[in-house]
Amino acid sequence: MSRTSQLLSNCIKYFEPPPEISVSEWMETYYHLPFGNATPGLINLDKTAYMRGILDAFSNRDVEKITIMSSSQIGKTTIFLGVIGYYSHFDPCPILLLNPTLDASNDFSKDKLTPMFEESPALKSLLKKNMSKDSGNTLLKKRLSNKPVIVTGK
């Protein structure tokens, strides 16, 4: 293959639309639970089937508003991480996650968001390109494809 053909082939890849998969399908393919978790590695949503409907609502273009009424400690953080990962990987857009306090934001980023990017190869490769000191990546701001994921609080 000539260099021109190779260059053209590489350029065309950037114009291909992302695969049409739901957030739950993305999670089961790309989302790795970090070590220290009860079941590290690729997530298995069969154990938490109730999360599928919520996750898939986030990738359904007909859904305009999502309200979750639930008890505590049933996976809402995992749902939010899955949505952040899905859009960071397949449809980069600015993402803002608000926590009640700045301390909660720091803890969330250190304990949940950063490990997700480090343990999921598809996400790690997005972040790795931007890890220089001039990249704009901090504990509370991750820059992916020039679109920020910002975590903040009061």
Side-chain angles (χ1 to χ4, degrees):
M1 181 181 279
S2 73
R3 289 182 61 178
T4 305
S5 297
Q6 181 71 31
L7 179 63
L8 184 58
S9 176
N10 288 340
C11 289
I12 288 173
K13 290 178 187 175
Y14 288 102
F15 294 103
E16 292 176 357
E20 290 196 28
I21 65 173
S22 66
V23 176
S24 66
E25 291 169 322
W26 179 88
M27 285 186 75
E28 292 185 311
T29 306
Y30 299 103
Y31 183 88
H32 288 254
L33 292 167
F35 290 102
N37 217 299
T39 55
L42 271 175
I43 194 167
N44 179 357
L45 293 177
D46 291 338
K47 297 175 184 175
T48 53
Y50 58 87
M51 289 171 60
R52 278 186 204 280
I54 299 167
L55 288 164
D56 292 345
F58 282 96
S59 54
N60 182 338
R61 298 196 188 278
D62 295 330
V63 175
E64 294 181 14
K65 183 177 182 179
I66 299 168
T67 303
I68 302 171
M69 189 165 122
S70 71
S71 61
S72 63
Q73 301 296 316
I74 63 146
K76 290 183 296 296
T77 300
T78 302
I79 289 169
F80 294 135
L81 288 168
V83 172
I84 291 169
Y86 173 86
Y87 281 101
S88 296
H89 187 198
F90 281 147
D91 191 8
C93 58
I95 297 172
L96 176 65
L97 182 66
L98 299 172
N99 281 303
T101 66
L102 202 50
D103 285 341
S105 294
N106 281 317
D107 291 344
F108 175 82
S109 185
K110 275 190 273 192
D111 300 338
K112 306 291 183 184
L113 186 64
T114 299
M116 175 186 73
F117 278 102
E118 291 174 352
E119 298 293 331
S120 301
L123 299 176
K124 186 175 186 175
S125 67
L126 294 175
L127 192 60
K128 192 174 185 181
K129 296 174 189 173
N130 296 308
M131 287 307 285
S132 70
K133 288 185 179 184
D134 299 330
S135 69
N137 283 316
T138 64
L139 180 62
L140 297 177
K141 183 178 181 181
K142 310 294 182 205
R143 190 163 283 284
L144 311 160
S145 302
N146 295 321
K147 305 293 183 190
V149 175
I150 299 170
V151 182
T152 192
K154 282 187 162 185

